[in-house]
Structures are given as structure tokens and as C-alpha cells.
Amino acid sequence: MSLFTPLRGAGLALAFAITLGGCSQPATPTADSTPNPGASQSPATKISIAMQPWLGYGAWYIAKEKGFFTENNLEVELPDFDADADMVAALASGQVDAMNVASHTALRMIEEGVDIKVVLLLDASTSADAILATA
């Protein structure tokens, strides 16, 4: 009997979300932000997304460099952390608004009762991640 069921697979895929929000105050606009000329005239919304060095998070840096956040009236900070525990502490204390985490970290946080919301799934794969087999 396989350990993989469609429901479990969907749950694990959802848990592989890498951007999590919760435990912190929502991002608030700042008076010193410069709005994009094509965007509304309201101040840019600031958001800080914690992450660890991993090639898969490169898209965040590319989006920032290409101005995608600015085009959408966002001011995004991408602080680096060395350990999951440091990111969780920063999220819980309000130092960051969201975080990129792997599935095992998201599942552990949920199991420990941390109030998080999965808001983005960065990577979904149907192969090369693990082998599921009966013993």
C-alpha cells in the first residue's frame, strides 16, 4: 500500500508553501515611500520577507531588481537568515511580515500551534523529490 494519497499529497504540496504570514502586524504604508508614477498615488506598502540562502528563492531577487514590486506599489525587503528558528522568532516578534520555508518547517510550525497562513506555493514537483514505496 502506498503512503501517498491524493489528500495527503495535496496537503503536503500546500505545506510546501514558502511564503508564510502570521504572528506579525500587517504591513503598513509609510509616508516616506515614493509611489510609482503608474501606480496609485498612495504610499508604497512595506513588506519584509525572511528567507535563507537557497537558489530557489532567486526569483524574489530578480523581481526586486526588475522593479516588479515597485510597479505594484510595494517596498520589499528580503533579509537573509541562517536558521529556521531565527526566521520563526523574527516572524513571531514582528521583525518580518512573512517568510519562505520548506515543507518540514511549515508542518512543524502548524503542529506547534503557530498561527500561520500559507499564501504562496513556490515549487511543486511530481518527481525527483522522494521515492514512496512499500516495505
Side-chain angles (χ1 to χ4, degrees), residues 30-50:
T30 60
D32 62 340
S33 301
T34 305
N36 181 324
S40 69
Q41 293 303 310
S42 62
T45 299
K46 281 188 167 185
I47 187 168
S48 180
I49 305 170

Side-chain angles (χ1 to χ4, degrees), residues 32-112:
D32 62 340
S33 301
T34 305
N36 181 324
S40 69
Q41 293 303 310
S42 62
T45 299
K46 281 188 167 185
I47 187 168
S48 180
I49 305 170
M51 62 182 69
Q52 294 174 325
W54 177 58
L55 182 61
Y57 298 147
W60 291 111
Y61 295 101
I62 293 168
K64 186 171 184 171
E65 182 178 314
K66 293 204 173 269
F68 297 156
F69 299 132
T70 304
E71 289 173 9
N72 289 284
N73 206 25
L74 295 170
E75 185 179 327
V76 177
E77 294 179 10
L78 303 170
D80 283 319
F81 289 84
D82 292 326
D84 288 345
D86 295 336
M87 290 195 315
V88 172
L91 182 69
S93 68
Q95 293 175 0
V96 297
D97 303 300
M99 57 191 275
N100 290 290
V101 297
S103 58
H104 68 277
T105 303
L107 290 172
R108 187 178 64 242
M109 291 172 70
I110 292 167
E111 185 175 279
E112 292 172 356

